[in-house]
């Protein structure tokens, strides 16, 4: 009689470890710095989950007991840490209105930490409704899970998976190097960073002005690849509506004359006769057309919330039912174990106490607000809880629908600042608070907290989807999310102060180096303008109303297209709104990147290595974003240290040099070459 063969012992579950948290925090700092610069430059941030997963798998491979779940922890910490950087869509507004001259460290950190952790706790009750029991695609979450599966150490791992992991790391590295190198040549004036053309239309077409262009920036190309063709084409639709319809109409002499005769303000009417096409078109777009985009985004955000009413109720009911099972002694399956709802409530209360302290400190430091501190405190907390939970649901839903990179949290910020500003008008009327810059600043502070909630929830649910697909333990992942919020929050004010000193922001104090390139910070510019407009009483509600009507039309169009094509063709209203208010050169390059990514994936679709090539393409796009963005932060540091606004100058200013032509050729050749190289690497895995 032979002895039975014992089954191999179950592998120890290594998941929430100190080394994973430390590595995740280090990556969070890197991605936060990169995203801060990118967001201030072009108004976009990128999801760092996939590059973080690849780097984690390459580094933790040195430990024999590393697991897919430990890599999941690293990715989670790094992802939410990088995502919290989107707070820069609001915070610079406090500098732009002159309330802050720099970013105070602890106040800025408190806004990010308390708001970010509330975003985690608010999204926990939504996990079952929007992740487990939902058919939302979660494109980035699914892609990150696939990367983790093929690259993490495990009994099922093949040699080709090991090669893919190593090759993927090099794709990220070389994508970053090429992107940074190109940015270096742009900084040195050897390459142009943008190509644009503005024209005045003939009288037969109204005689207005318009223009189009695109930015030769690899970070934008990579971001376009990640957003995908559907969102890219929707943004193109918004771009065309803005620049081929709205701008020409609002700059047409006939339109200007009609508006003036009816007592309707017109920016074009205030410009000198003979103003050039570029100044005319960009001034009208910046001061009028972008507010239409804000209207589109606001309507789309409200529509999203309406559609989410059912899932929200279901998520809360499910969370309470799970707590009841715990209380009765029932042991939940490991993959269903969220942080207990009682602890979630306790953490939320602690954060709200911290936010209350922040609001009281702010109100007491502003003479005009000090007497109204109780009203402001109660109103601010109610606003944070109600609006914060609503935007958690909206952003979580949008992250599931189109990905956290594409989810227009800035649109939610626009809606939030309008609501906050209207509430401040009510406080002014009830409590007799005089019109004062501190009123605008308070509206921006509470909006910043809500925005931190929104961006954390936006990223959290994407990460929780990845965790669900790889069998991670929800409560451990949620703990990692909290750690990531803290790690990202600690670095944001440092990077913001560095960039503020080196480049400055539009409307804010000048940079320390005269002539330094100002960072546009498009969302912060728009949000601060909305706050000033609402509270000051001069907001162009007519333009926002026109945008709202356009938004309703786009919602109807999207519904019709989805019905007729059975979901194959869509026109996301929020993406169209983004096309309105992002600069034309930015949107155009995003569209080019989306088309390039689609062509690349189509070219490998029928090959044996199609899935590998698709993952490699995502890693290339991530590397392109990281390289240029980190170069921007390094450049800011060098400018501050040397007080030289062009420390990498190669071509003397004023020298005749075909920078646009040379840059365009280099951009195209490098783009085609990179995609071909990545395809070759995928074929050899």
């Amino acid at each position: 009689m032979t002895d039975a063969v014992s089954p191999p012992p179950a592998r120890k579950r290594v998941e929430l470890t100190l080394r994973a948290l430390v590595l995740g925090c280090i990556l969070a700092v890197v991605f936060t710095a990169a995203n801060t610069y990118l967001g201030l430059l072009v108004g976009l941030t990128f999801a760092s989950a996939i590059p973080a997963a690849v780097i984690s798998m390459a580094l933790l491979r040195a430990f024999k007991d590393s697991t897919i779940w430990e890599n999941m922890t690293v990715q989670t910490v790094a992802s939410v840490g990088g995502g919290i950087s989107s707070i820069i869509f609001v915070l610079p507004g406090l500098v732009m209105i002159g309330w802050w001259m720099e970013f105070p460290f602890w106040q800025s950190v408190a806004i990010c930490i308390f708001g970010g952790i509330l975003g985690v706790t608010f999204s926990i009750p939504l996990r079952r409704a929007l992740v487990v029991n939902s058919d939302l695609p979660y494109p980035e979450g699914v892609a990150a899970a696939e990367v983790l599966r093929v690259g993490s150490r495990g009994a099922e791992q093949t040699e080709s998976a090991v090669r893919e992991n190593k090759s993927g790391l090099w794709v990220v590295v070389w994508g970053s190097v090429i992107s940074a190198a190109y940015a270096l040549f742009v900084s040195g004036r050897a390459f142009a960073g943008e190509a644009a053309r503005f024209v005045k239309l003939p009288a037969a077409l109204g005689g207005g002005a318009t223009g189009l262009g695109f930015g030769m920036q690899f970070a934008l190309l990579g971001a376009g690849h990640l957003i995908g063709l559907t969102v890219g084409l929707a943004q193109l639709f918004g771009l065309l509506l803005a620049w081929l319809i709205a701008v020409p109409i609002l700059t047409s002499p006939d339109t200007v004359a009609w508006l003036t005769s009816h007592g309707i303000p017109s920016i074009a009417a205030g410009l000198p006769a003979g103003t050039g096409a570029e100044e005319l078109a960009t001034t009208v777009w910046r001061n009028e057309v972008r507010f239409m985009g804000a209207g589109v985004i606001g309507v789309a955000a409200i529509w999203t919330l309406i559609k989410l009413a059912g899932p929200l109720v279901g998520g809360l009911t499910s969370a309470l039912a799970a707590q009841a099972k715990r209380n009765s002694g029932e042991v939940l399956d490991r993959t269903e174990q969220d942080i207990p709802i009682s602890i979630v409530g306790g953490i939320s209360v602690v954060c709200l106490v911290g936010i209350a302290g922040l609001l009281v400190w702010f109100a007491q430091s502003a003479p005009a607000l000090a007497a109204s501190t109780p009203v402001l405190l109660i109103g601010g907390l109610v606003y944070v809880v109600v609006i914060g939970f609503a935007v958690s649901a909206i952003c979580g839903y949008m992250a599931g629908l189109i990905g956290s990179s594409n989810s227009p949290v800035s649109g939610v910020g626009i809606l939030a600042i309008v609501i906050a500003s209207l509430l401040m008008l009510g406080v002014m009327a009830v409590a007799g608070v005089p019109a004062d810059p501190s009123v605008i600043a308070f509206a921006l502070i509470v909006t910043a907290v809500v925005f931190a909630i929104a961006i954390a929830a936006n990223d959290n649910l994407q990460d929780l989807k990845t965790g669900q697909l790889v069998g991670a333990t929800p409560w451990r992942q949620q703990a990692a999310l909290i750690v990531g919020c803290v790690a990202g929050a600690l670095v944001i004010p440092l990077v913001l102060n560095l960039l503020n000193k080196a480049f400055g922001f539009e409307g804010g104090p000048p940079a320390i180096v005269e002539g330094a390139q100002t960072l546009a910070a498009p969302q912060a510019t728009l949000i601060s303008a909305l706050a000033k407009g609402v509270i000051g009483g001069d907001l162009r509600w007519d333009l926002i109303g026109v945008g709202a009507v356009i938004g309703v039309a786009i919602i109807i169009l999207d519904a019709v297209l989805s019905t007729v094509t059975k979901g194959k063709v869509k026109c996301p209203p929020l993406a169209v709104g983004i096309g309105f208010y992002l600069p034309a050169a930015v949107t155009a390059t995003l569209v080019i990147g989306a088309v390039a990514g689609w062509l690349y994936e189509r070219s490998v679709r029928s090959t044996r290595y199609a899935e590998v090539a698709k993952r490699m393409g995502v890693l290339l796009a991530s590397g392109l974003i990281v390289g240029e963005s980190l170069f921007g932060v390094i450049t800011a540091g060098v400018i501050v240290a040397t007080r030289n606004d062009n420390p990498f100058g190669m071509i003397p200013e004023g020298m005749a040099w075909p920078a646009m032509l040379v840059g365009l050729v280099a951009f195209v050749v490098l783009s085609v070459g990179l995609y071909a190289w990545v395809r070759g690497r995928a074929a050899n895995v």
Side-chain angles (χ1 to χ4, degrees), residues 186-250:
V186 171
S187 177
R189 302 192 188 96
F191 296 163
E194 181 179 314
R197 174 85 177 187
F198 294 86
V199 296
K200 283 194 174 180
L201 301 174
L205 296 176
T210 189
L212 287 176
F214 76 98
M216 292 177 283
Q217 295 171 282
F218 277 106
L220 294 178
L221 186 74
H225 182 120
L226 293 178
I227 68 175
L229 189 63
T230 297
V231 174
L233 292 180
Q235 290 186 349
L236 176 62
F237 182 42
L239 170 69
L240 297 179
L241 287 176
W243 286 93
L244 296 188
I245 297 179
V247 171
I249 289 176
L250 292 174

Side-chain angles (χ1 to χ4, degrees), residues 625-685:
I625 295 171
V626 170
E628 181 178 327
S629 301
L630 288 182
F631 175 79
V633 176
I634 293 170
T635 301
V638 175
I639 289 175
V640 172
T642 63
R643 295 183 175 269
N644 178 359
D645 68 321
N646 188 23
F648 306 116
M650 303 174 192
I651 306 297
E653 190 172 3
M655 176 180 175
W657 172 256
M660 185 178 296
L661 177 61
V662 174
L664 178 61
V665 171
F667 187 80
V668 172
V669 170
L670 287 172
S671 299
V672 173
L674 281 170
Y675 275 114
W677 173 70
V678 169
R679 176 172 177 165
R681 292 194 72 91
N684 293 326
V685 168

Side-chain angles (χ1 to χ4, degrees), residues 115-407:
I117 294 177
L118 274 182
V120 175
T121 59
F122 284 179
S123 62
I124 288 173
L126 301 174
R127 185 183 69 85
R128 289 179 176 84
L130 295 183
V131 176
V132 179
N133 302 322
S134 169
D135 59 356
L136 291 171
Y138 285 97
E140 291 162 0
V142 173
E146 185 62 21
V147 169
L148 285 166
R149 285 197 190 105
V150 301
S152 295
R153 185 187 299 277
E156 76 287 352
Q157 190 180 32
T158 63
E159 181 60 30
S160 63
V162 176
R163 291 198 304 270
E164 180 182 342
N165 180 222
K166 293 179 179 178
S167 186
L169 179 60
W170 282 111
V171 168
V172 173
V173 169
W174 279 109
S176 300
V177 169
I178 296 298
S179 177
Y182 189 90
L184 172 63
F185 279 90
V186 171
S187 177
R189 302 192 188 96
F191 296 163
E194 181 179 314
R197 174 85 177 187
F198 294 86
V199 296
K200 283 194 174 180
L201 301 174
L205 296 176
T210 189
L212 287 176
F214 76 98
M216 292 177 283
Q217 295 171 282
F218 277 106
L220 294 178
L221 186 74
H225 182 120
L226 293 178
I227 68 175
L229 189 63
T230 297
V231 174
L233 292 180
Q235 290 186 349
L236 176 62
F237 182 42
L239 170 69
L240 297 179
L241 287 176
W243 286 93
L244 296 188
I245 297 179
V247 171
I249 289 176
L250 292 174
T251 55
S252 167
D254 292 340
T255 302
V256 172
W258 185 88
L259 292 173
T260 303
S261 66
H262 287 76
I264 302 174
S266 169
I267 293 295
L271 295 175
T275 298
E278 180 175 359
E279 182 181 354
L280 177 60
T282 55
T283 301
V284 167
W285 169 80
R286 184 172 56 251
N287 292 282
E288 294 183 335
V289 176
R290 289 186 76 186
F291 285 91
M292 295 183 184
V296 175
I297 291 170
V299 166
I302 293 171
W303 174 244
T304 301
L305 183 59
I306 292 172
K307 292 195 299 182
L308 276 176
L312 284 176
V313 174
L316 286 172
T317 303
S318 179
L320 292 173
Q323 181 65 25
K325 290 180 180 179
R326 285 178 185 268
N327 294 338
S328 65
E330 182 177 340
V331 178
L332 297 176
D333 184 76
R334 182 185 51 77
T335 57
E336 286 300 314
Q337 295 176 7
D338 291 301
I339 295 176
I341 199 69
S342 57
I343 297 178
V344 169
I347 295 173
S348 300
V349 169
V350 170
C351 289
L352 288 171
V353 170
I355 292 169
L358 179 68
L359 297 182
V360 169
W361 169 83
F362 184 89
Q364 290 294 313
S365 65
L369 302 180
S372 304
T373 298
V375 175
L376 293 172
L377 173 61
I378 295 171
L381 289 178
V382 171
Y383 173 81
V384 165
V385 172
V386 175
I387 303 299
F389 190 81
V391 299
S392 293
I394 294 172
C395 292
Y397 179 86
M398 292 310 301
L401 182 65
I402 58 176
S404 52
S405 291
N406 311 326
S407 182

